Structure formats: C-alpha cells, structure tokens
Amino acid sequence: MVRKPVVSTISNGGYLQGNVKGRLPSLGSKEPRGQEKVVLKKKITLLRGISIIIGTIIGAGIFISPKGVLQNTGSVGMSLIIWTVCGVLSLFGALSYAELGTSIKKSGGHYTYILEVFGPLPAFVRVWVELLIIRPAATAVISLAFGRYILEPFFIQCEIPEFAIKLITAVGITVVMVLNSMSVSWSARIQIFLTFCKLTAILIIIVPGVMQLIKGQTQHFKDAFSGRDASIMGLPLAFYYGMYAYAGWFYLNFVTEEVENPEKTIPLAICISMAIVTVGYVLTNVAYFTTISGEELLLSNAVAVTFSERLLGNFSLAVPIFVALSCFGSMNGGVFAVSRLFYVASREGHLPEILSMIHVRKHTPLPAVIVLHPLTMIMLFSGDLYSLLNFLSFARWLFIGLAVAGLIYLRYKRPDMHRPFKVPLFIPALFSFTCLLMVALSLYSDPFSTGIGFIITLTGVPAYYLFIIWDKKPKWFRRMSGRITRTLQIILEVVPEEDCHKL
C-alpha cells in the first residue's frame, strides 16, 4: 500500500525540488478557470499561527507537575534558571526552524528537512516511528489528562473511575478528529479560542502570584540556591523536562504550505509565541513559589490545583476546567499539524497513497487526519503509555537535532539558496549540540528505556526496504492495494491532486 517515490533530477540538489507527478502544484501557480484543483488552501494567518504554536506548547505540564525540573536541580533558584534557559534554547530551535521553513516552503516539519538534507531513509524512519507510536501515544497521554481534569469537578469527594476517564477521553479524541476532518477554518478558530483559554489559565495563576509578591510573600525565595546540590546527571534531566514542556514550537512548520505569506508570518509567529510562552512559564513558576515551598511542590501531583485551592477558594474549581481546555487545545493543534506530516510523507511516496488525498469539498487531508484515530484508540486502551513515551522521547530530539544540524549543512552546501530569514550560525549550532547531548546522556542515564526506543526506531530500516525499495511485490498484493485505495476514495470522497481537475 506504499508506492515508490518519484524523484526528479535537478541541477542544484534537493530531494524535494522540481514538479513531479503526484505532488502539489507550485504555490504561486494559477489554474485556468473551471479547472481549479482541490488543494490545501492558505488559511493560516499570523493570529492562527500564533495560536497553533502557543496552543500546542501549553498543555497540561505547566499546570500539573513542573516538579521534574525542581527534582533534578535541587533548588528553587536553579529551577527558575533552567526554565528560563530552556525557553531561550527552545527559541533558538524555533528560530532555526523559521529559517528552514522560509527557505524550504513545504509542509512536513522535521520530515521535510531531513528528507531534503539527509535523504529518504532517515526521513522514512522519522515518519514511521511518528505514525505508529509517538503521535498516537502522545495524543493518548494528553487526551487522558483532558478526560481526568474535565471530570474532576464532578468527583470532588471520590476517586474518578478509570473507565469514565477513558470514555470521556475517547469522546474528546473523536471530536478533535472530526473537527480537523470537517474544516480547516473552524479548527483554527477553535484553536484561537482555546489559546486564549490557556493564557487566561496562566494569568489566573500569575496575577495572584504577583499580588503575593507585592504583599511581601518572598520567604520561599530566600536562600533560593540552597538545598540539595544538583548532580551531574540531574541538570541534563532537568533540561530534558524543561525542553519537553516547551515542545511544540515546531508545529507551524508542519503546515508551511497553508500559511499566508510564510516568509513573514512564520518568523513573526514564532518570535511572538516563544516570548509569550517563556515569560508565562517563568512567571507561573515564580507564582507557585510565592505560595508553595519547594518541598510542598515536590509532593503535589497537580501544582496548579494545589496553588488555586490555597489562594482562590471556591474559584479553584475552575482551574481543572481550564487545564482540560488547555489539553484539548494541545490535542487539536497536534492533530492539525501532524496530519500534514503524514500528508506530505504520502505525497513523497513514503506512506500509503490514500493519505495524500484531499476531500473534494472540505479541502482537508481527511485520510491523514483519521488514520490517527484507530491508532490512538489502541494506545488509549493499551498498557503504560508513559513508559512507551519514555522509550521514544529520545527519537524526537534526535531527529529535531538532525534537522537543525541540516540547516548548518545547507549553509555550506547551498550558499546561494534563497533565505528570506537568516539566523546567526551559532544559534543552530548550540541548539543541535544540546539536542544531541540530551540524546547521548539519555543513553547513559537510562540505557534500558533508551535502548528499547532505539530498537523500535531501527525497525523503520527494514520497513523502508520492504515497502519503499522493493518494487517486485506480488501481483495479488498490488491488486489488493489498488482495490483498497479505490474503495477508500469512494467512501471518504477524496482525490489525489492530479485528478482534481476532472471533477
């Protein structure tokens, strides 16, 4: 069910360049009247771009359990420094992606940049792991947080039944998938609303915290750097927790082809979003420490709830609702962005052809959206999702580090490449080094989990040769694949780009 990619031969290098059959037409091209093709339209404005980035970065973590950073730093002062440094490092990564996104104006994010620089095999391995495990598991985890916190106000005096959590979670996942299948505009509008809900939730914590500071509640900041000394392995793990909390700055690059005026919109959206998130994260942690000591924070499983119960009284019941909306926004933004990764990978011949087709009326990559639904449901009702994410979290930073390192390679390999936005070279160098250092340290500090993740990632190599390189598949397999594709086309009402003008 995976077709072999068609690669054009070009004079100045670049796997993604050229205009071969089966790919989207040039974004600047004009179709004759009456022959307009069904394509993903440019509906991502600056405000929508900001909402995608902020909406996917701010999930449940900053509200539930920022104690991972504190545990591995040993002091309040050092933890606040780590939050700030991780924000700056994430900004460096985001700026590097801004250059990549404005130079290579194709959707797909990590996959596209790795494909352009390192070739098809690493790119296939990246999308293989993302489709089968990382994205379904990550969506299931954030969805479970949504289910738990949306139900919390109804189960104040007792434990929430696990079945109820999973049932509401399944409904939430389904709603997100339907929303992204039906309309790009509505998905973006709801994402803007949810982003304002997230920022409101942060302000609900920051404003009382600032008032506490004005009142002189600074006892937890005295001797801020005293406490347990951070170990050599502790600081890298603290960075890992911090970088994980900031993860999501790269999602706008997954939808580059749908961004209005990407040369200006992408860098501006990234800079504004990262400034808001970094300031918000640091001030939120400062607010926590105006009311909660370091020891109390380490004992809390939901820091925002503990904080609000002490300062906000009955209004604290609203906090779980805001956390749930925050999680829903992360679910929506993640599905919206990652479905484009699968769409682009299919367009390049690395996933089944049906995933690169577009709905004839709604102009959404319907198959690329709904393919996540059954996989996420399997993850939801399977075993320990958090362990699975630990197995594969290193893969995310490995490939992000490689993509940013590819920017440095392109500077030397293709110096004449058009770069509307250009960052100083030390920014991608520092960021890629940090990513690869985290990966190396994870191999040392947790060889079992990282080893399993490494093995799972390597399964993409034989899969690549089996599904992509091997072109002598049995006739029955090719016939069956063709029938399945045609049947799904009829059921889903989707078509490939080259057939759209026949409608």
Side-chain angles (χ1 to χ4, degrees):
M1 294 184 69
V2 178
R3 66 196 186 284
K4 192 170 183 177
V6 182
V7 183
S8 59
T9 303
I10 52 179
S11 59
N12 61 341
Y15 184 88
L16 296 177
Q17 297 180 356
N19 186 21
V20 298
K21 185 179 178 181
R23 300 185 186 177
L24 286 176
S26 171
L27 295 178
S29 65
K30 295 182 179 179
E31 297 296 331
R33 289 180 178 267
Q35 294 187 3
E36 182 182 359
K37 291 189 177 183
V38 179
V39 296
L40 299 178
K41 296 185 176 180
K42 288 178 171 288
K43 293 188 176 182
I44 308 300
T45 60
L46 176 61
L47 180 59
R48 290 177 177 179
I50 292 171
S51 71
I52 288 173
I53 298 173
I54 294 179
T56 48
I57 290 177
I58 303 176
I62 190 64
F63 303 114
I64 298 173
S65 183
K67 63 184 180 182
V69 175
L70 183 60
Q71 277 179 333
N72 290 285
T73 54
S75 68
V76 171
M78 186 58 70
S79 71
L80 294 176
I81 290 175
I82 292 295
W83 279 107
T84 305
V85 171
C86 286
V88 173
L89 281 172
S90 298
L91 175 62
F92 282 4
L95 290 174
S96 300
Y97 263 53
E99 177 175 328
L100 288 167
T102 53
S103 303
I104 305 171
K105 299 184 185 68
K106 290 182 178 287
S107 299
H110 328 312
Y111 166 82
T112 297
Y113 308 141
I114 291 171
L115 183 61
E116 175 76 12
V117 178
F118 300 106
L121 177 56
F124 176 84
V125 172
R126 176 69 184 90
V127 78
W128 168 265
V129 179
E130 183 78 26
L131 174 62
L132 292 185
I133 298 177
I134 292 180
R135 179 45 45 184
T139 303
V141 167
I142 194 68
S143 302
L144 280 170
F146 162 79
R148 179 174 298 278
Y149 279 86
I150 201 71
L151 289 174
E152 185 162 304
F154 303 101
F155 292 86
I156 299 175
Q157 302 298 329
C158 60
E159 189 71 21
I160 307 174
E162 286 298 320
F163 179 76
I165 293 174
K166 292 196 174 185
L167 182 63
I168 293 297
T169 297
V171 172
I173 293 170
T174 303
V175 169
V176 168
M177 299 294 179
V178 171
L179 176 64
N180 280 273
S181 300
M182 297 298 291
S183 170
V184 172
S185 295
W186 273 106
S187 177
R189 288 169 188 155
I190 290 176
Q191 188 69 9
I192 292 173
F193 167 74
L194 293 172
T195 298
F196 279 111
C197 289
K198 292 169 185 276
L199 295 177
T200 300
I202 285 181
L203 286 175
I204 289 173
I205 296 170
I206 291 175
V207 172
V210 171
M211 293 176 65
Q212 288 287 91
L213 287 176
I214 294 173
K215 293 177 182 178
Q217 298 295 323
T218 59
Q219 64 271 20
H220 298 144
F221 296 101
K222 294 177 180 177
D223 300 322
F225 291 92
S226 65
R228 179 178 54 83
D229 293 333
S231 65
I232 295 177
M233 292 307 301
L235 284 177
L237 289 174
F239 271 106
Y240 177 81
Y241 280 106
M243 295 295 284
Y244 179 81
Y246 283 100
W249 45 262
F250 40 76
Y251 279 123
L252 188 60
N253 293 67
F254 284 35
V255 296
T256 301
E257 293 170 18
E258 297 170 72
V259 176
E260 291 183 357
N261 192 9
E263 295 184 358
K264 293 183 178 179
T265 300
I266 290 177
L268 196 56
I270 283 173
C271 291
I272 293 172
S273 301
M274 292 309 301
I276 292 173
V277 171
T278 302
V279 172
Y281 272 17
V282 174
L283 289 180
T284 299
N285 279 276
V286 169
Y288 288 150
F289 290 121
T290 62
T291 305
I292 305 171
S293 67
E295 293 78 11
E296 290 170 326
L297 188 145
L298 292 174
L299 294 173
S300 174
N301 290 321
V303 182
V305 175
T306 303
F307 175 88
S308 61
E309 286 174 348
R310 294 193 181 183
L311 286 186
L312 304 179
N314 292 332
F315 188 72
S316 63
L317 291 174
V319 172
I321 302 299
F322 278 110
V323 174
L325 290 173
S326 178
C327 295
F328 191 85
S330 293
M331 293 158 57
N332 182 63
V335 169
F336 180 86
V338 175
S339 62
R340 272 59 177 179
L341 185 154
F342 301 147
Y343 170 83
V344 171
S346 173
R347 198 173 68 190
E348 297 299 330
H350 285 165
L351 288 177
E353 185 177 11
I354 188 69
L355 298 183
S356 64
M357 298 188 186
I358 303 171
H359 195 277
V360 295
R361 293 185 306 278
K362 304 182 189 304
H363 296 264
T364 60
L366 179 63
V369 172
I370 64 175
V371 71
L372 284 170
H373 190 270
L375 295 170
T376 304
M377 288 299 177
I378 291 171
M379 292 291 180
L380 177 63
F381 291 97
S382 65
D384 188 353
L385 288 170
Y386 296 94
S387 294
L388 188 60
L389 280 179
N390 287 336
F391 293 157
L392 292 162
S393 56
F394 89 99
R396 164 182 278 181
W397 294 112
L398 172 64
F399 286 108
I400 290 176
L402 286 177
V404 174
L407 183 155
I408 302 172
Y409 174 81
L410 288 175
R411 287 281 189 93
Y412 290 98
K413 186 70 173 180
R414 296 167 62 184
D416 298 328
M417 185 178 186
H418 179 56
R419 294 178 174 87
F421 181 83
K422 195 172 181 179
V423 296
L425 206 56
F426 82 89
I427 288 179
L430 178 61
F431 180 81
S432 58
F433 172 78
T434 303
C435 287
L436 298 177
L437 179 63
M438 285 195 299
V439 170
L441 288 173
S442 68
L443 285 167
Y444 177 78
S445 61
D446 190 2
F448 177 75
S449 296
T450 307
I452 292 177
F454 185 67
I455 292 170
I456 294 174
T457 303
L458 285 180
T459 61
V461 176
Y464 174 76
Y465 286 97
L466 177 63
F467 294 115
I468 307 301
I469 298 300
W470 183 39
D471 55 0
K472 295 182 179 179
K473 298 178 178 66
K475 289 183 179 179
W476 65 265
F477 180 84
R478 294 197 296 268
R479 285 197 299 268
M480 180 183 68
S481 299
R483 288 171 184 168
I484 291 174
T485 300
R486 287 191 294 272
T487 302
L488 289 174
Q489 276 190 261
I490 295 170
I491 294 172
L492 300 177
E493 297 183 272
V494 294
V495 290
E497 299 98 1
E498 62 264 28
D499 292 339
C500 295
H501 66 280
K502 299 177 183 177
L503 295 176

